[in-house]
């Protein structure tokens, strides 16, 4: 059993930066593939980024590639999403997910655990 809690969201102007954090409970954090998804009003939840168990492999949606960076600190039971050059289209609730599998997945149905979400709003 894993509990995930996101933090770091807020209101920023276009071009600004935020760093989201996802803190995990439990002592098996390093065995989970981790991902970030987001959901804008009236839209489906979409994939943003994922990272493998050791932090050596990452994958990004085309819409955020080159602007966002996912990383993890297994000793701290935390995964991060550094978001730079933010755009109004990035406005959404951001969710952290955990997957008890070796493989990275872009499908939210494949993730086993979710946090409560944190709001990111980017003004134009």
């Amino acid at each position: 059993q894993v509990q995930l809690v996101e933090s770091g969201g807020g209101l920023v102007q276009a071009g600004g930066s935020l760093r989201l954090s996802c803190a995990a409970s439990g002592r098996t954090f390093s065995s989970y593939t981790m991902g970030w998804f987001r959901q804008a009003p009236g839209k489906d939840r979409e994939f943003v980024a994922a990272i493998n168990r050791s932090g050596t492999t990452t994958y990004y949606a085309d819409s955020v590639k080159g602007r966002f960076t996912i990383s993890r600190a297994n000793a701290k039971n935390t995964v991060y999403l550094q978001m730079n050059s933010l755009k109004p289209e990035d406005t959404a609730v951001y969710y952290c997910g955990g997957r008890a599998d070796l493989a990275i997945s872009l499908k939210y149905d494949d993730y086993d655990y979710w946090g409560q979400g944190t709001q990111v709003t980017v003004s134009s």
Side-chain angles (χ1 to χ4, degrees):
Q1 180 174 299
V2 175
Q3 298 277 346
L4 304 175
V5 179
E6 303 96 333
S7 63
L11 174 64
V12 298
Q13 293 183 333
S17 298
L18 285 173
R19 188 177 76 158
L20 306 184
S21 298
C22 175
S25 65
R27 57 179 182 264
T28 59
F29 174 75
S30 62
S31 69
Y32 288 87
T33 297
M34 301 298 295
W36 287 96
F37 290 73
R38 66 188 183 187
Q39 188 166 22
K43 295 186 177 181
D44 293 332
R45 189 171 299 189
E46 66 174 338
F47 172 79
V48 176
I51 189 166
N52 73 340
R53 299 188 303 176
S54 64
T56 57
T57 302
T58 58
Y59 196 91
Y60 299 93
D62 288 341
S63 60
V64 307
K65 190 175 298 183
R67 300 188 298 121
F68 291 11
T69 302
I70 187 171
S71 62
R72 67 192 298 163
N74 287 344
K76 298 181 181 294
N77 283 5
T78 303
V79 62
Y80 304 96
L81 185 68
Q82 178 66 47
M83 305 186 296
N84 298 327
S85 301
L86 283 162
K87 305 175 181 179
E89 66 190 56
D90 296 319
T91 295
V93 177
Y94 283 70
Y95 297 91
C96 174
R99 171 173 162 82
D101 196 276
L102 287 170
I104 288 176
S105 176
L106 279 60
K107 299 169 60 179
Y108 67 83
D109 285 343
D110 287 340
Y111 286 77
D112 303 300
Y113 305 100
W114 293 98
Q116 83 290 347
T118 185
Q119 176 71 48
V120 172
T121 303
V122 184
S123 62
S124 60

